[in-house]
Amino acid sequence: MAEYRIFHSPRLSGEALISTAKNAVLPIMAATLLTGEECVIRRMPSLSDTLHMQALLSDCGAQVRSQEDALVVRSGAVKSPGDEELLRTMRASVLVLGPLLARNGECTFSMPGGCAIGQRPIDLHLKGLQKLGAKVETEGGMIRVTGRLQGANIYLDFPSVGATENLVMAATLSRGFTRIENAAKEPEIADLCRFLVAMGARIAGIGTNNLTVEGVEEMHGAHYTPIPDRIEAGTLACAAAMTEGSVLLQNARSDHMRALMFKLAESGVIFQEDEKGLRLRGRARRPMEVRTLSYPGFPTDMQAPLMALTTQLGGLSIFLETIFENRFMHAVELNRMGAQIRVEGQLALVQGGKSLTGAAVTATDLRAAAALMIAGLSAQGETLLHDPACHLMRGYEHLEEKLQALGAQVRQEA
Ligand code: UD1
């Protein structure tokens, strides 16, 4: 249980150093299971999801230790995870499946959990692995996947991020060539591929929808620094744009944030890119129409934080969520603060320009938590944000401290 008090805040100004991307680090950590040699992941963010993944790697037989800001993993002999609780806690747990199967020829696990933002099945992961020759059996709530993998042509019905990652990892140690068509091409997937190449994998088409992997006999250790977090940078950008701030997002990769920057710029925010990162100033003013899509379209993970901002823009903003079927839970909480948001299925209509008033609100998922925190910055009075499942700590490294450094009045109570 975590709790935050947020007060109406002045214009945010100053600098924030963007942390390493959670969604890049988690698959890279899972990929260390592909070799018995030592891997070093630098600039590790301090997040509960990365701690969970660390525990999961240990549960799979890896030796894991921290060394300054790096994580050192050596996965001598690996086995299926035994701790069902760890699998249930985090959706990204499923990412150990591809590496374990490729390395050992078998993996048994229970269905992963994670944020309650939709059904989130893993059928695309399993179908892809079956294409690679794996046999999938379910018994007593457990899934057992076995077989020596053989390269194949895989077409993903939908460019799932996790399925692409699992399949590309499994393909690195499969015999022959694997082609993944309609692969997802989020920057975090390209980053995983670059780590795999550093480990000895042969991958062509990195950063595209068509990945070709030539299997190798063995992978080796590697040192790697994953990319900065585009969602953290985007969340801080929304907070700044909401308060007419002027901030430098140090280390932010603007080339990974085009869809959000385009929306904010259309609405009135001014961006400047330089070697230190991304600067923005000014206020978002005009309403927006946003459709979440796979990369390079507008990221679903930015939908909630941007919706918080649109509550303060005059006129009607429209959000169409196409990636997850239940990702508007923050709308009810924002309405508790005085926002006027109507949800119709996958569509949310935000009648903006209504003053927000601080209220007691509850975080239902990770990005909803961030949205409520930034909404609190422009609300009159005090907002008490309950985060019963500590969602914020899962995916943002000290968000409240970074906001404080920019002048926001936020404090963690518990
Ligand atoms: C990843 C990100 C998450 C982000 C999401 C979409 C990580 C650790 N998490 O999640 O932050 O919100 O991408 O950008 O990187 N689906 C199926 N069958 C499958 C797999 C997915 O139907 O086998 C559906 C899901 O239910 C969902 C959609 O596809 O509706 C997108 O899921 P996916 O791209 O796999 O997201 P994740 O990898 O879970």
Side-chain angles (χ1 to χ4, degrees), residues 242-283:
M242 192 159 187
T243 62
E244 202 174 354
S246 170
V247 303
L248 166 64
L249 303 172
Q250 279 178 290
N251 211 25
R253 287 279 302 265
S254 50
D255 54 328
H256 295 162
M257 297 170 61
R258 291 285 174 233
L260 173 70
M261 286 168 67
F262 181 72
K263 288 290 160 201
L264 291 177
E266 261 191 339
S267 181
V269 176
I270 298 161
F271 287 98
Q272 194 191 331
E273 298 167 43
D274 62 33
E275 71 289 345
K276 278 191 162 174
L278 182 63
R279 292 175 196 276
L280 72 147
R281 66 190 156 82
R283 186 187 200 98

Side-chain angles (χ1 to χ4, degrees), residues 23 91 120-125 160-162 301 323-324 327:
N23 288 354
R91 160 97 180 156
R120 308 187 89 174
I122 57 164
D123 55 317
L124 298 171
H125 301 239
S160 151
V161 171
D301 286 349
I323 306 293
F324 291 107
R327 210 175 195 181

Side-chain angles (χ1 to χ4, degrees), residues 6-27:
I6 307 146
F7 301 88
H8 185 80
S9 296
R11 293 178 175 187
L12 298 192
S13 71
E15 303 180 359
L17 179 62
I18 302 307
S19 301
T20 299
K22 165 180 90 74
N23 288 354
V25 170
L26 293 175

Side-chain angles (χ1 to χ4, degrees), residues 208-225:
T208 75
N209 290 125
N210 260 309
L211 292 170
T212 305
V213 185
E214 181 185 358
V216 295
E217 279 290 310
E218 267 187 354
M219 303 274 273
H220 54 72
H223 289 222
Y224 196 73
T225 307

Side-chain angles (χ1 to χ4, degrees), residues 276-333:
K276 278 191 162 174
L278 182 63
R279 292 175 196 276
L280 72 147
R281 66 190 156 82
R283 186 187 200 98
R285 292 181 193 282
R286 288 177 282 284
M288 308 175 188
E289 287 185 17
V290 178
R291 175 194 297 257
T292 63
L293 289 168
S294 299
Y295 189 84
F298 189 89
T300 173
D301 286 349
M302 279 309 309
Q303 179 255 105
L306 188 66
M307 188 179 293
L309 167 64
T310 59
T311 64
Q312 297 308 290
L313 311 180
L316 182 71
S317 290
I318 302 176
F319 288 81
L320 178 63
E321 173 59 59
T322 76
I323 306 293
F324 291 107
E325 69 273 19
N326 188 22
R327 210 175 195 181
F328 285 140
M329 286 178 289
H330 45 281
V332 178
E333 300 300 307

Side-chain angles (χ1 to χ4, degrees), residues 2 42 47 50 82 93 117 121 137 206-207 211 213 228 243 245 247 249 254 285 304 343-344 352 355 373 405:
R42 300 192 202 95
L47 302 169
T50 52
S93 307
I117 56 178
E137 295 158 297
I206 294 175
L211 292 170
V213 185
T243 62
V247 303
L249 303 172
S254 50
R285 292 181 193 282
V343 174
E344 296 275 349
S355 305
M373 186 167 274

Side-chain angles (χ1 to χ4, degrees), residues 60-360:
C60 294
Q63 288 175 318
V64 187
R65 68 188 160 87
S66 295
Q67 192 176 300
E68 293 168 7
D69 73 344
L71 190 76
V72 182
V73 187
R74 185 185 284 275
S75 309
V78 288
K79 60 174 178 56
S80 298
D83 187 337
E84 283 185 39
E85 192 51 39
L86 275 175
L87 296 169
R88 264 198 294 273
T89 315
M90 186 176 67
R91 160 97 180 156
S93 307
V94 72
L95 294 173
V96 300
L97 170 60
L100 288 176
L101 175 65
R103 184 123 175 249
N104 281 357
E106 76 97 28
C107 178
T108 306
F109 68 105
S110 64
M111 275 295 285
C115 272
I117 56 178
Q119 290 179 31
R120 308 187 89 174
I122 57 164
D123 55 317
L124 298 171
H125 301 239
L126 297 177
K127 270 194 215 165
L129 293 173
Q130 281 169 321
K131 272 274 185 192
L132 294 176
K135 190 168 144 201
V136 178
E137 295 158 297
T138 46
E139 73 186 34
M142 300 295 281
I143 301 177
R144 184 170 151 76
V145 189
T146 48
R148 286 281 154 204
L149 303 181
Q150 172 75 48
N153 285 343
I154 300 171
Y155 177 86
L156 289 176
D157 281 348
F158 174 83
S160 151
V161 171
T164 303
E165 291 168 342
N166 240 334
L167 295 172
V168 80
M169 288 190 280
T172 56
L173 290 179
S174 301
R175 282 190 303 264
F177 283 87
T178 297
R179 187 145 168 238
I180 310 173
E181 284 182 79
N182 200 27
K185 56 177 180 182
E186 270 66 5
E188 294 76 16
I189 297 171
D191 209 38
L192 167 67
C193 289
R194 282 189 291 269
F195 177 62
L196 293 170
V197 168
M199 294 174 77
R202 297 196 186 128
I203 307 175
I206 294 175
T208 75
N209 290 125
N210 260 309
L211 292 170
T212 305
V213 185
E214 181 185 358
V216 295
E217 279 290 310
E218 267 187 354
M219 303 274 273
H220 54 72
H223 289 222
Y224 196 73
T225 307
I227 53 174
D229 198 315
R230 63 193 167 105
I231 307 300
E232 184 201 17
T235 302
L236 289 168
C238 288
M242 192 159 187
T243 62
E244 202 174 354
S246 170
V247 303
L248 166 64
L249 303 172
Q250 279 178 290
N251 211 25
R253 287 279 302 265
S254 50
D255 54 328
H256 295 162
M257 297 170 61
R258 291 285 174 233
L260 173 70
M261 286 168 67
F262 181 72
K263 288 290 160 201
L264 291 177
E266 261 191 339
S267 181
V269 176
I270 298 161
F271 287 98
Q272 194 191 331
E273 298 167 43
D274 62 33
E275 71 289 345
K276 278 191 162 174
L278 182 63
R279 292 175 196 276
L280 72 147
R281 66 190 156 82
R283 186 187 200 98
R285 292 181 193 282
R286 288 177 282 284
M288 308 175 188
E289 287 185 17
V290 178
R291 175 194 297 257
T292 63
L293 289 168
S294 299
Y295 189 84
F298 189 89
T300 173
D301 286 349
M302 279 309 309
Q303 179 255 105
L306 188 66
M307 188 179 293
L309 167 64
T310 59
T311 64
Q312 297 308 290
L313 311 180
L316 182 71
S317 290
I318 302 176
F319 288 81
L320 178 63
E321 173 59 59
T322 76
I323 306 293
F324 291 107
E325 69 273 19
N326 188 22
R327 210 175 195 181
F328 285 140
M329 286 178 289
H330 45 281
V332 178
E333 300 300 307
L334 288 169
N335 284 348
R336 227 185 269 286
M337 299 172 73
Q340 273 195 12
I341 306 171
R342 205 174 87 215
V343 174
E344 296 275 349
Q346 299 304 94
L347 206 59
L349 307 174
V350 184
Q351 189 60 59
K354 313 285 172 204
S355 305
L356 299 184
T357 313

